[in-house]
Amino acid sequence: TTTKRPRNSEDQQQPQKKVHAQVADHYNSRPDVGVEKRKESTIFRLKSFNNWLKSVLIGRYARPRDRVLDVGVGKGGDLLKWSKAKIQYFIGCDIASKSVEQARERYRTMRNAPFEAHFHAMDCYSEPISSVVAPEIVFDMVSMQFCLHYSFETETKARMMLHNVTSQLKPGGVFIGTIPDAYWIVKKLKSESDDKLQIGNSIYSIRFERRDRFDTFGSKYWFHLEDAIDDCPEYLVHFPTFQKLAEEYGLELIYNKKFHQVYEEASQELDFNQLLYRMNVVSESGSLSADEWEAANVYLAFAFRKKN
Ligand code: SAM
C-alpha cells in the first residue's frame, strides 16, 4: 500500500495557516461542472487552450508505463491526459480535500481504469510527501500544473515543494509545470502609470498591494480569472531564484517557454494541431478572444530533468 497517515502540522504554523486555508477554501468551493456546462463558460476557449497546452507538455515528456506524481492535482482535470499518455501508475496530492474527493471520483468513473491511481489530501508545501507515499515508490515524472506559485509564499515552503518533487523522482526523471510569468507580470505593471496597482482585462486581473518592491519570496498579488478564480492570494515566482533553488535539488532546466511560444511551436506539429480542434480550442465558430489570448500569456511552461 502507498498510504500512511498524514501528519497534522497545521497547529504549529498558525501565521501561515491563513493563506493555506484561503487557497484550499477557494478551490474547495469551486463546483466541478460537467463538460456541457463548461462549454457555457465565458472563458471556455481559454480553459480549452490551457488544457491543450498541458496535453502538449504531457505529450512531449510522458512515456508509456511512467509512474507519475501530480502535485496540486485539483479535481483531477488531467486524468484523461495521463490516460492517453498510457502511464502505469499515478499519485495525486492536493491541499483542497473536496477537490481530492472529486479527483478520486473522476478516476473511479473513468472507463476501464487505465492505470492504478491514489489520491491524498495534504499540504504539499509544508509536509513531506513521504508522510503519505511509501518511500520505495519512485516516480518517472512529477507534474505541477498552475499550482507551484502558491509555494513561493516563503523560502521554506518553496524548499519543501522542491524536496517533495525530487525526493522520489528517479535520476533522469522529468518535472513539468505551468506558472504565472512574474517577469511578464511586473513588466506589464511597470508599463502602466505610476499609481496603478493592477493589470488585466475583461477576463483576468492581477492586483498588487504595493509596486515599489518585489521580494524573492512572499510577493503577494490577488488573482481574478473570470468564471474560475475569485481573487485568490498568489505569489510571484522569480524564475532565476526558482531555477537556482531547483539546481540545489538536482534539477536541470530543459524547457522554459511562454504559452504563446508553446502555441507557435506546437501548433506546427500535425498531432498537436489536430488536437487544437479536438479539444475545442479552435472550431468553425471561432477561437480565443483577444482578451483570452492575453490572459493565456500570463503563464509559462517549464520542464526540468533530474541529474544522474
Ligand atoms: N493542477 C490542477 C489543474 O491544472 O487543473 C489544479 C490547478 S488549481 C489552479 C491550483 C491547485 O493548487 C488547487 O487545487 C489548490 O488546492 C492546489 N494547492 C494550492 N496550495 C497547495 C498546497 N500547499 N499543497 C497542495 N496543493 C495546493
Side-chain angles (χ1 to χ4, degrees), residues 150-163:
Y150 296 106
S151 73
F152 264 60
E153 184 186 355
T154 63
E155 181 172 347
T156 309
K157 287 190 177 193
R159 283 186 179 275
M160 180 57 84
M161 175 274 293
L162 280 166
H163 167 80

Side-chain angles (χ1 to χ4, degrees), residues 23 27 54 72-74 78 94-96 122-125 145-147 150:
V23 172
Y27 284 103
K54 289 190 283 181
V73 63
D78 294 339
D94 199 288
I95 194 171
M122 69 173 284
D123 180 346
C124 303
Y125 310 152
Q145 304 302 336
F146 300 104
C147 58
Y150 296 106

Side-chain angles (χ1 to χ4, degrees), residues 47-58:
K47 285 183 179 170
S48 305
F49 177 78
N50 287 343
N51 273 317
W52 173 81
L53 199 132
K54 289 190 283 181
S55 298
V56 170
L57 263 187
I58 290 171

Side-chain angles (χ1 to χ4, degrees), residues 43-71:
I43 58 157
F44 167 62
R45 299 285 190 189
L46 176 60
K47 285 183 179 170
S48 305
F49 177 78
N50 287 343
N51 273 317
W52 173 81
L53 199 132
K54 289 190 283 181
S55 298
V56 170
L57 263 187
I58 290 171
R60 285 253 161 87
Y61 292 106
R63 296 284 165 266
R65 304 200 58 72
D66 269 358
R67 290 151 298 175
V68 175
L69 171 66
D70 190 333
V71 176

Side-chain angles (χ1 to χ4, degrees), residues 242-258:
F242 171 40
Q243 188 179 344
K244 199 158 155 275
L245 219 53
E247 266 167 30
E248 279 185 39
Y249 289 79
L251 295 170
E252 178 184 21
L253 184 69
I254 53 173
Y255 187 84
N256 173 17
K257 296 256 156 88
K258 297 275 301 158

